[in-house]
Amino acid sequence: MKKIAFYTLGCKVNQADTASMEGIFRAAGYEVVPFDGQADIYLINTCVVTNTGQRRSRQIINRAVRRNPLSLVVVTGCYPQTAPEEVRAIAGVDVIIGNQERGRIVELVEQALEHKQTEILDNVQQMTVDTKFEEIGVGTETDKTRAFLKIQEGCNQYCTYCIIPFARGPLRSRSLEGIKEEVAKLVAAGYKEVVLIGIHLGCYGKELRKEGKDISLYDAMQAALSVPGVQRLRLGSLESVEAEPRLLQLLATEPRLCKHLHLPLQSGCDKILKAMHRPYDTAKFAQLLDEIRAQVPDVAITTDVIVGFPGETEADFAETMAFAERCGFAKMHIFPYSKRKGTPAASMPEQVTEAVKSERAARLAEVDEKLHQRTLAAMVGKTVEVLFEQPVDAQHMEGLCGPYLRTVVAGTEELAGEIHQVKITGIVDDWLTGELL
């Protein structure tokens, strides 16, 4: 039995892709082993969304090559998709596969094993508007309690800072029947929560309209919820402009849907939003938040913000700080702008220095902490459902409640993987504390 080790960098979609590939290898009789041990094959699923992600991808590839020069080193994902020549030039890489045809991964690896150290197997495919969603099965061989199901791939937005449309290709969606089948597998495997994810999740089904199919993310959610045994469903990141009224109505009325939305803002300054090619301005974003909270009053809204975009002045950043406070986010994920070769923003004038980016990120983090503590304080006294995941210590367990807040109670490992009602009694640092009901 050959041994294969995986390493995943980047987003939840990458994690889901790796889980799918693990499942394919297990089904073919391979043993999955830890990445820091000895393996016959090392597979690195890469990330290029930032310079840090790409640099880290190279480091992990080189680490695998050094660990066992006789092993097969396979590089998949966004790095070979966007820079195949660069990845091919890394000494010791044997196979490169982009973001398509992962369903053939075992076939390609076994083909490469026959030609080890004689040539690189390059299977990076160019993706076009005719490329279909690759309906590979979801991975179920983990000890996690939440599963990430990729139902959408690709992006047509082309924000000026983002390499992802080049890395992931155009919009494509998993079929509704495929969603039902994969959710049923996850339920049978014992998962208590399924998270629907995608590169541009809110565009689910959009490209199918040219085939006469009028479906949207709402239909995908209904398909997942129709599977017997589904206990909890959560949405990944989507654009605020794509939170359609019937989706919000479902969020408000369906108890199995987690009351949490991740809506990327990216900037709270209209000048910067326009330069980013975002599909809204601050007035529209604020209006959408008000509409969402009117329909789903107890929803927790988290976001992403980029600081130090080219041309962002101190006054522009002050607008972002003030707008973030006005929005009252439960949590902000803050990213210093990262110049990506091949994107319009990389050649824009008035690039912001790394020192200024870091300083602004730190100041926005202070706003984030204030807003997060305010969110936690508002939860005290409420009763929530918590899906317990792992022990904090011998006497305490932690998990996630519906609004995506970490919650700790007195308990043992027997709670792992179970959903229980919890009365929130207090706050410790960035976590809620509570009592089992």
Side-chain angles (χ1 to χ4, degrees):
M1 181 183 289
K2 289 195 179 297
K3 297 180 179 180
I4 183 167
F6 292 84
Y7 196 103
T8 308
L9 298 108
C11 64
K12 296 288 196 301
V13 174
N14 260 13
Q15 293 174 32
D17 288 339
T18 298
S20 293
M21 288 187 284
E22 283 191 21
I24 294 169
F25 274 101
R26 289 180 195 275
Y30 287 72
E31 179 186 357
V32 177
V33 298
F35 192 82
D36 56 3
Q38 291 296 309
D40 302 295
I41 303 149
Y42 293 94
L43 189 151
I44 302 97
N45 197 5
T46 58
C47 173
V48 296
V49 71
T50 64
N51 283 325
T52 301
Q54 185 161 324
R55 183 169 61 251
R56 182 68 173 152
S57 293
R58 288 183 66 89
Q59 290 172 347
I60 299 301
I61 294 166
N62 287 319
R63 183 193 302 176
V65 171
R66 289 194 302 270
R67 178 162 294 135
N68 186 352
L70 298 179
S71 295
L72 196 77
V73 175
V74 183
V75 182
T76 72
C78 295
Y79 192 9
Q81 188 70 52
T82 56
E85 299 86 0
E86 190 174 316
V87 179
R88 275 198 299 266
I90 301 174
V93 171
D94 300 292
V95 182
I96 64 172
I97 302 170
N99 282 320
Q100 196 69 8
E101 290 209 324
R102 258 84 65 95
R104 295 180 58 217
I105 186 72
V106 171
E107 172 195 339
L108 294 167
V109 163
E110 291 183 348
Q111 181 181 336
L113 284 169
E114 297 177 10
H115 306 286
K116 171 67 180 157
Q117 295 180 331
T118 61
E119 59 184 271
I120 292 176
L121 194 158
D122 182 344
N123 195 59
V124 176
Q125 305 289 319
Q126 293 304 309
M127 291 171 282
T128 71
V129 292
D130 296 320
T131 302
K132 300 297 183 183
F133 186 92
E134 190 173 21
E135 302 247 359
I136 55 176
V138 68
T140 58
E141 293 287 336
T142 76
D143 57 358
K144 302 247 178 110
T145 54
R146 293 187 299 139
F148 297 97
L149 175 60
K150 184 174 76 170
I151 66 167
Q152 187 278 332
E153 180 68 279
C155 180
N156 294 353
Q157 178 63 32
Y158 288 95
C159 296
T160 56
Y161 54 83
C162 189
I163 197 73
I164 293 304
F166 304 96
R168 290 285 180 170
L171 300 175
R172 46 208 195 276
S173 307
R174 189 184 289 271
S175 67
L176 294 178
E177 282 306 312
I179 291 172
K180 292 177 185 178
E181 289 173 12
E182 298 307 318
V183 171
K185 288 180 190 175
L186 294 169
V187 170
Y191 288 93
K192 299 297 194 300
E193 178 178 309
V194 177
V195 188
L196 301 182
I197 60 173
I199 295 299
H200 197 158
L201 184 63
C203 280
Y204 174 87
K206 187 175 181 179
E207 83 286 357
L208 299 176
R209 291 171 192 167
K210 64 185 178 185
E211 301 174 15
K213 299 176 183 177
D214 185 18
I215 60 173
S216 69
L217 180 57
Y218 171 84
D219 300 292
M221 294 161 65
Q222 289 282 39
L225 290 166
S226 72
V227 177
V230 171
Q231 294 191 41
R232 203 150 95 163
L233 189 71
R234 189 184 297 275
L235 290 178
S237 174
L238 72 155
E239 297 290 356
S240 56
V241 293
E242 293 154 359
E244 59 174 316
R246 61 178 184 159
L247 184 154
L248 296 176
Q249 184 179 16
L250 187 62
L251 192 65
T253 58
E254 171 54 69
R256 293 173 295 169
L257 266 177
C258 294
K259 303 297 190 290
H260 167 234
L261 290 173
H262 186 81
L263 309 174
L265 170 63
Q266 306 305 10
S267 176
C269 169
D270 286 338
K271 182 190 89 175
I272 299 300
L273 287 173
K274 185 176 181 180
M276 287 177 165
H277 191 227
R278 297 295 290 162
Y280 50 80
D281 57 17
T282 53
K284 180 65 173 176
F285 193 93
Q287 176 192 347
L288 290 165
L289 288 198
D290 290 343
E291 291 173 0
I292 291 167
R293 286 172 170 145
Q295 283 198 249
V296 194
D298 53 349
V299 69
I301 298 176
T302 55
T303 198
D304 298 329
V305 180
I306 296 171
V307 299
F309 187 80
E312 182 186 73
T313 65
E314 183 59 30
D316 297 332
F317 178 66
E319 287 185 30
T320 290
M321 295 263 285
F323 189 71
E325 286 222 44
R326 183 254 184 257
C327 290
F329 296 114
K331 186 67 183 172
M332 288 189 281
H333 301 284
I334 302 162
F335 304 93
Y337 166 72
S338 181
K339 185 190 293 189
R340 308 306 295 134
K341 182 181 178 182
T343 62
S347 57
M348 287 181 178
E350 301 179 75
Q351 296 283 329
V352 178
T353 67
E354 295 302 320
V356 170
K357 291 178 197 174
S358 297
E359 187 266 342
R360 288 179 183 170
R363 285 160 59 196
L364 190 57
E366 293 177 2
V367 174
D368 173 48
E369 182 60 20
K370 180 171 70 173
L371 294 176
H372 186 59
Q373 289 297 324
R374 188 184 301 168
T375 299
L376 295 176
M379 296 295 295
V380 176
K382 293 183 177 180
T383 298
V384 297
E385 281 193 344
V386 176
L387 171 56
F388 289 99
E389 295 183 335
Q390 57 201 9
V392 177
D393 53 38
Q395 289 82 38
H396 296 88
M397 288 291 293
E398 64 97 357
L400 278 175
C401 63
Y404 208 72
L405 297 168
R406 288 282 160 193
T407 307
V408 182
V409 302
T412 64
E413 283 194 64
E414 293 176 355
L415 288 175
E418 295 185 1
I419 297 176
H420 288 279
Q421 295 277 324
V422 172
K423 176 72 174 290
I424 303 302
T425 57
I427 305 166
V428 173
D429 296 326
D430 287 339
W431 289 14
L432 296 170
T433 59
E435 299 173 350
L436 287 172
L437 295 179

